[in-house]
PDB file of all heavy atoms in Angstrom:
ATOM      1  N   PRO A  66     175.357 115.167 111.165  1.00 91.00           N
ATOM      2  CA  PRO A  66     176.396 115.775 112.065  1.00 91.00           C
ATOM      3  C   PRO A  66     177.725 115.954 111.375  1.00 91.00           C
ATOM      4  O   PRO A  66     178.122 115.154 110.506  1.00 91.00           O
ATOM      5  CB  PRO A  66     176.499 114.709 113.157  1.00 91.00           C
ATOM      6  CG  PRO A  66     175.149 113.974 113.130  1.00 91.00           C
ATOM      7  CD  PRO A  66     174.815 113.914 111.675  1.00 91.00           C
ATOM      8  N   GLN A  67     178.373 117.046 111.743  1.00 92.00           N
ATOM      9  CA  GLN A  67     179.644 117.371 111.105  1.00 92.00           C
ATOM     10  C   GLN A  67     180.793 117.316 112.139  1.00 92.00           C
ATOM     11  O   GLN A  67     180.474 117.319 113.381  1.00 92.00           O
ATOM     12  CB  GLN A  67     179.588 118.791 110.509  1.00 92.00           C
ATOM     13  CG  GLN A  67     178.599 118.926 109.409  1.00 92.00           C
ATOM     14  CD  GLN A  67     178.890 118.042 108.209  1.00 92.00           C
ATOM     15  OE1 GLN A  67     179.936 118.244 107.601  1.00 92.00           O
ATOM     16  NE2 GLN A  67     178.018 117.118 107.914  1.00 92.00           N
ATOM     17  N   PRO A  68     182.038 117.248 111.747  1.00 89.00           N
ATOM     18  CA  PRO A  68     183.167 117.141 112.637  1.00 89.00           C
ATOM     19  C   PRO A  68     183.317 118.361 113.561  1.00 89.00           C
ATOM     20  O   PRO A  68     183.710 118.264 114.731  1.00 89.00           O
ATOM     21  CB  PRO A  68     184.393 117.044 111.767  1.00 89.00           C
ATOM     22  CG  PRO A  68     183.912 116.638 110.472  1.00 89.00           C
ATOM     23  CD  PRO A  68     182.484 117.155 110.331  1.00 89.00           C
ATOM     24  N   GLN A  69     182.905 119.543 113.107  1.00 89.00           N
ATOM     25  CA  GLN A  69     183.137 120.772 113.874  1.00 89.00           C
ATOM     26  C   GLN A  69     181.854 120.967 114.786  1.00 89.00           C
ATOM     27  O   GLN A  69     180.702 120.695 114.385  1.00 89.00           O
ATOM     28  CB  GLN A  69     183.229 122.043 113.027  1.00 89.00           C
ATOM     29  CG  GLN A  69     184.330 121.901 111.942  1.00 89.00           C
ATOM     30  CD  GLN A  69     183.832 121.228 110.688  1.00 89.00           C
ATOM     31  OE1 GLN A  69     182.731 120.740 110.573  1.00 89.00           O
ATOM     32  NE2 GLN A  69     184.678 121.236 109.687  1.00 89.00           N
ATOM     33  N   SER A  70     182.079 121.455 115.975  1.00 90.00           N
ATOM     34  CA  SER A  70     181.012 121.772 116.874  1.00 90.00           C
ATOM     35  C   SER A  70     180.170 122.977 116.344  1.00 90.00           C
ATOM     36  O   SER A  70     180.717 123.880 115.815  1.00 90.00           O
ATOM     37  CB  SER A  70     181.500 122.136 118.249  1.00 90.00           C
ATOM     38  OG  SER A  70     180.525 122.481 119.189  1.00 90.00           O
ATOM     39  N   GLY A  71     178.874 122.867 116.484  1.00 94.00           N
ATOM     40  CA  GLY A  71     177.951 123.966 116.128  1.00 94.00           C
ATOM     41  C   GLY A  71     177.795 124.064 114.587  1.00 94.00           C
ATOM     42  O   GLY A  71     177.249 125.106 114.047  1.00 94.00           O
ATOM     43  N   VAL A  72     178.045 122.984 113.833  1.00 95.00           N
ATOM     44  CA  VAL A  72     177.939 122.960 112.356  1.00 95.00           C
ATOM     45  C   VAL A  72     177.107 121.717 112.007  1.00 95.00           C
ATOM     46  O   VAL A  72     177.186 120.665 112.631  1.00 95.00           O
ATOM     47  CB  VAL A  72     179.294 122.854 111.679  1.00 95.00           C
ATOM     48  CG1 VAL A  72     179.186 122.786 110.150  1.00 95.00           C
ATOM     49  CG2 VAL A  72     180.127 124.120 112.085  1.00 95.00           C
ATOM     50  N   PHE A  73     176.279 121.890 110.987  1.00 96.00           N
ATOM     51  CA  PHE A  73     175.479 120.744 110.468  1.00 96.00           C
ATOM     52  C   PHE A  73     175.460 120.707 108.973  1.00 96.00           C
ATOM     53  O   PHE A  73     175.745 121.671 108.283  1.00 96.00           O
ATOM     54  CB  PHE A  73     174.047 120.792 111.080  1.00 96.00           C
ATOM     55  CG  PHE A  73     173.168 121.833 110.514  1.00 96.00           C
ATOM     56  CD1 PHE A  73     172.189 121.549 109.588  1.00 96.00           C
ATOM     57  CD2 PHE A  73     173.229 123.196 110.923  1.00 96.00           C
ATOM     58  CE1 PHE A  73     171.355 122.556 109.064  1.00 96.00           C
ATOM     59  CE2 PHE A  73     172.438 124.127 110.399  1.00 96.00           C
ATOM     60  CZ  PHE A  73     171.498 123.862 109.472  1.00 96.00           C
ATOM     61  N   GLY A  74     175.099 119.529 108.452  1.00 96.00           N
ATOM     62  CA  GLY A  74     174.865 119.383 107.047  1.00 96.00           C
ATOM     63  C   GLY A  74     173.444 118.908 106.862  1.00 96.00           C
ATOM     64  O   GLY A  74     172.791 118.480 107.819  1.00 96.00           O
ATOM     65  N   VAL A  75     172.945 118.944 105.633  1.00 97.00           N
ATOM     66  CA  VAL A  75     171.577 118.493 105.360  1.00 97.00           C
ATOM     67  C   VAL A  75     171.662 117.574 104.130  1.00 97.00           C
ATOM     68  O   VAL A  75     172.112 117.955 103.094  1.00 97.00           O
ATOM     69  CB  VAL A  75     170.608 119.676 105.107  1.00 97.00           C
ATOM     70  CG1 VAL A  75     169.264 119.095 104.691  1.00 97.00           C
ATOM     71  CG2 VAL A  75     170.499 120.542 106.243  1.00 97.00           C
ATOM     72  N   ARG A  76     171.197 116.295 104.285  1.00 98.00           N
ATOM     73  CA  ARG A  76     171.132 115.378 103.207  1.00 98.00           C
ATOM     74  C   ARG A  76     169.771 115.401 102.610  1.00 98.00           C
ATOM     75  O   ARG A  76     168.768 115.269 103.297  1.00 98.00           O
ATOM     76  CB  ARG A  76     171.423 113.917 103.693  1.00 98.00           C
ATOM     77  CG  ARG A  76     171.284 112.915 102.582  1.00 98.00           C
ATOM     78  CD  ARG A  76     171.648 111.447 103.047  1.00 98.00           C
ATOM     79  NE  ARG A  76     173.067 111.339 103.268  1.00 98.00           N
ATOM     80  CZ  ARG A  76     173.635 111.112 104.458  1.00 98.00           C
ATOM     81  NH1 ARG A  76     172.850 110.925 105.517  1.00 98.00           N
ATOM     82  NH2 ARG A  76     174.954 111.051 104.612  1.00 98.00           N
ATOM     83  N   LEU A  77     169.671 115.600 101.252  1.00 98.00           N
ATOM     84  CA  LEU A  77     168.427 115.693 100.574  1.00 98.00           C
ATOM     85  C   LEU A  77     168.204 114.390  99.808  1.00 98.00           C
ATOM     86  O   LEU A  77     169.100 113.883  99.167  1.00 98.00           O
ATOM     87  CB  LEU A  77     168.408 116.823  99.574  1.00 98.00           C
ATOM     88  CG  LEU A  77     168.649 118.245 100.158  1.00 98.00           C
ATOM     89  CD1 LEU A  77     168.575 119.264  98.990  1.00 98.00           C
ATOM     90  CD2 LEU A  77     167.678 118.542 101.219  1.00 98.00           C
ATOM     91  N   LYS A  78     166.977 113.923  99.796  1.00 98.00           N
ATOM     92  CA  LYS A  78     166.546 112.814  99.014  1.00 98.00           C
ATOM     93  C   LYS A  78     165.347 113.356  98.162  1.00 98.00           C
ATOM     94  O   LYS A  78     164.330 113.648  98.736  1.00 98.00           O
ATOM     95  CB  LYS A  78     166.098 111.637  99.842  1.00 98.00           C
ATOM     96  CG  LYS A  78     167.194 111.029 100.640  1.00 98.00           C
ATOM     97  CD  LYS A  78     166.740 109.987 101.564  1.00 98.00           C
ATOM     98  CE  LYS A  78     167.985 109.497 102.465  1.00 98.00           C
ATOM     99  NZ  LYS A  78     167.563 108.597 103.489  1.00 98.00           N
ATOM    100  N   ILE A  79     165.565 113.494  96.856  1.00 98.00           N
ATOM    101  CA  ILE A  79     164.661 114.177  96.005  1.00 98.00           C
ATOM    102  C   ILE A  79     163.946 113.178  95.090  1.00 98.00           C
ATOM    103  O   ILE A  79     164.613 112.372  94.350  1.00 98.00           O
ATOM    104  CB  ILE A  79     165.378 115.238  95.148  1.00 98.00           C
ATOM    105  CG1 ILE A  79     166.109 116.237  96.092  1.00 98.00           C
ATOM    106  CG2 ILE A  79     164.395 116.047  94.247  1.00 98.00           C
ATOM    107  CD1 ILE A  79     167.072 117.161  95.414  1.00 98.00           C
ATOM    108  N   THR A  80     162.568 113.253  95.029  1.00 98.00           N
ATOM    109  CA  THR A  80     161.815 112.507  94.083  1.00 98.00           C
ATOM    110  C   THR A  80     161.180 113.514  93.184  1.00 98.00           C
ATOM    111  O   THR A  80     160.453 114.400  93.682  1.00 98.00           O
ATOM    112  CB  THR A  80     160.767 111.649  94.782  1.00 98.00           C
ATOM    113  OG1 THR A  80     161.376 110.822  95.782  1.00 98.00           O
ATOM    114  CG2 THR A  80     159.933 110.822  93.801  1.00 98.00           C
ATOM    115  N   GLN A  81     161.401 113.411  91.863  1.00 97.00           N
ATOM    116  CA  GLN A  81     160.901 114.427  90.950  1.00 97.00           C
ATOM    117  C   GLN A  81     160.024 113.792  89.892  1.00 97.00           C
ATOM    118  O   GLN A  81     160.278 112.657  89.427  1.00 97.00           O
ATOM    119  CB  GLN A  81     162.077 115.193  90.224  1.00 97.00           C
ATOM    120  CG  GLN A  81     161.645 116.275  89.348  1.00 97.00           C
ATOM    121  CD  GLN A  81     162.868 117.106  88.863  1.00 97.00           C
ATOM    122  OE1 GLN A  81     163.513 117.706  89.693  1.00 97.00           O
ATOM    123  NE2 GLN A  81     163.083 117.104  87.607  1.00 97.00           N
ATOM    124  N   THR A  82     158.989 114.505  89.511  1.00 97.00           N
ATOM    125  CA  THR A  82     158.037 113.941  88.461  1.00 97.00           C
ATOM    126  C   THR A  82     157.953 115.028  87.394  1.00 97.00           C
ATOM    127  O   THR A  82     158.214 116.224  87.562  1.00 97.00           O
ATOM    128  CB  THR A  82     156.632 113.703  88.954  1.00 97.00           C
ATOM    129  OG1 THR A  82     156.082 114.929  89.499  1.00 97.00           O
ATOM    130  CG2 THR A  82     156.667 112.728  90.082  1.00 97.00           C
ATOM    131  N   GLY A  83     157.645 114.631  86.121  1.00 95.00           N
ATOM    132  CA  GLY A  83     157.565 115.538  84.990  1.00 95.00           C
ATOM    133  C   GLY A  83     158.611 115.264  84.029  1.00 95.00           C
ATOM    134  O   GLY A  83     159.592 114.546  84.289  1.00 95.00           O
ATOM    135  N   GLU A  84     158.447 115.820  82.861  1.00 93.00           N
ATOM    136  CA  GLU A  84     159.415 115.723  81.755  1.00 93.00           C
ATOM    137  C   GLU A  84     159.984 117.084  81.414  1.00 93.00           C
ATOM    138  O   GLU A  84     159.289 118.093  81.551  1.00 93.00           O
ATOM    139  CB  GLU A  84     158.779 115.082  80.524  1.00 93.00           C
ATOM    140  CG  GLU A  84     158.329 113.653  80.737  1.00 93.00           C
ATOM    141  CD  GLU A  84     157.763 113.048  79.448  1.00 93.00           C
ATOM    142  OE1 GLU A  84     158.321 113.261  78.407  1.00 93.00           O
ATOM    143  OE2 GLU A  84     156.700 112.424  79.583  1.00 93.00           O
TER     144      GLU A  84
END
Side-chain angles (χ1 to χ4, degrees):
Q67 298 297 298
Q69 307 86 354
S70 179
V72 177
F73 70 104
V75 176
R76 176 178 290 115
L77 302 181
K78 296 176 185 171
I79 303 168
T80 304
Q81 185 170 296
T82 63
E84 294 183 43

